[in-house]
Amino acid sequence: WRGGRRADSARTRRKILISTQVVADYHGVGRSKGDIEEACLSKWLADTKQLIETVASPNDHRRVVLVGAGVGGWIAVRLAQTDPELVGGVVGLAADPDFTEDLLLKRLKPDVIERIMDGMELIKWGDCSYPISRKLIEDARDHLLLQGPDGGLDVQCPVRLLHGLEDEEVPYTTAVRLANRIKTEDVTVSLSKSGHYMDDIDDFKRTRLAIQDCLESIFVLDLRSPSSG
């Protein structure tokens, strides 16, 4: 959903951090191979889980901080909910959980939605165009996060949500709604006068601080568990 520009920004962020980083585009997006028509939340979640299990040694009780932009933020929070043993923290950058239902289907014209449900349609959204498929829409309904009571989303790890007040694609209120849904009290929302891509130097600094904050929270928690690493 976010293409190579977001991953390139993540690679820049990686250069200013001292921790070990792994940066990847998800199936069918950016530098990643794959048929975009087959891409969906379930596929991206499975791929993310496989990557973590491959590089992070979860059997040694090592958890990761997931940094996700746009749909990546959706994936990160969802994985923290379904596989908490893998995820020690989440940093969401302009995260857009439930955008398929809350944004696309509520704002697009009926004829455009009909073309999507016939297979796939290229949708102009903000400053970019994105391929949206019927499979993406229907599969996403199994992974919605914003529906339900406050505190009802069982995520226990530290969560840091960064969003721009001038985001032209996803309203900053999405971050507030997501924070209210998350169960842990260790969740913060940080707003800035940024657009959707949050790719200037100040945004990089805020991202770095959010990651460091998560890492410090994990370290404190792990001190309480001899088996954690």
Side-chain angles (χ1 to χ4, degrees):
W1 178 256
R2 292 303 173 219
R5 179 175 171 182
R6 298 307 288 267
D8 287 341
S9 294
R11 291 182 179 94
T12 302
R13 288 179 172 89
R14 178 184 60 185
K15 293 177 182 178
I16 61 176
L17 293 170
I18 60 173
S19 303
T20 300
Q21 306 289 310
V22 175
V23 180
D25 292 315
Y26 25 96
H27 179 92
V29 178
R31 302 181 186 183
S32 178
K33 298 180 180 179
D35 186 351
I36 190 62
E37 292 190 39
E38 296 301 315
C40 61
L41 265 293
S42 293
K43 170 64 175 171
W44 293 331
L45 281 162
D47 288 349
T48 304
K49 182 177 179 179
Q50 183 179 22
L51 178 63
I52 294 172
E53 291 174 339
T54 300
V55 303
S57 302
N59 290 334
D60 295 331
H61 305 285
R62 295 178 182 173
R63 296 173 295 157
V64 302
V65 173
L66 289 178
V67 183
V71 172
W74 184 355
I75 293 169
V77 175
R78 178 63 168 150
L79 197 65
Q81 178 193 22
T82 60
D83 295 88
E85 73 281 359
L86 300 179
V87 183
V90 170
V91 176
L93 309 175
D96 59 3
D98 303 13
F99 79 89
T100 47
E101 298 290 321
D102 285 1
L103 298 180
L104 292 183
L105 295 187
K106 289 184 178 180
R107 297 186 184 182
L108 294 176
K109 295 180 179 180
D111 62 311
V112 177
I113 295 175
E114 184 176 350
R115 291 197 295 272
I116 291 174
M117 301 313 286
D118 283 340
M120 189 173 71
E121 179 76 1
L122 193 64
I123 302 299
K124 181 76 164 79
W125 198 265
D127 295 331
C128 297
S129 294
Y130 304 106
I132 304 297
S133 68
R134 174 177 179 173
K135 182 171 184 176
L136 176 64
I137 295 289
E138 293 183 341
D139 176 78
R141 289 171 178 155
D142 292 330
H143 304 288
L144 300 178
L145 301 180
L146 299 180
Q147 299 179 2
D150 289 354
L153 191 64
D154 191 13
V155 173
Q156 301 286 354
C157 67
V159 178
R160 306 291 178 260
L161 302 174
L162 284 63
H163 216 107
L165 291 170
E166 299 176 8
D167 191 323
E168 66 283 3
E169 296 191 21
V170 183
Y172 70 86
T173 53
T174 298
V176 178
R177 292 174 62 198
L178 180 57
N180 284 332
R181 282 279 292 134
I182 289 173
K183 187 173 184 178
T184 181
E185 295 185 358
D186 192 4
V187 55
T188 63
V189 176
S190 176
L191 302 176
S192 61
K193 291 184 177 180
S194 300
H196 183 63
Y197 287 96
M198 304 185 70
D199 54 4
D200 64 25
I201 188 63
D202 289 333
D203 292 316
F204 295 157
K205 291 178 180 177
R206 282 188 285 270
T207 302
R208 180 187 63 191
L209 291 174
I211 295 171
Q212 290 176 340
D213 194 21
C214 280
L215 290 171
E216 290 173 3
S217 295
I218 295 170
F219 179 72
V220 170
L221 288 173
D222 284 350
L223 285 178
R224 304 171 184 170
S225 175
S227 63
S228 296

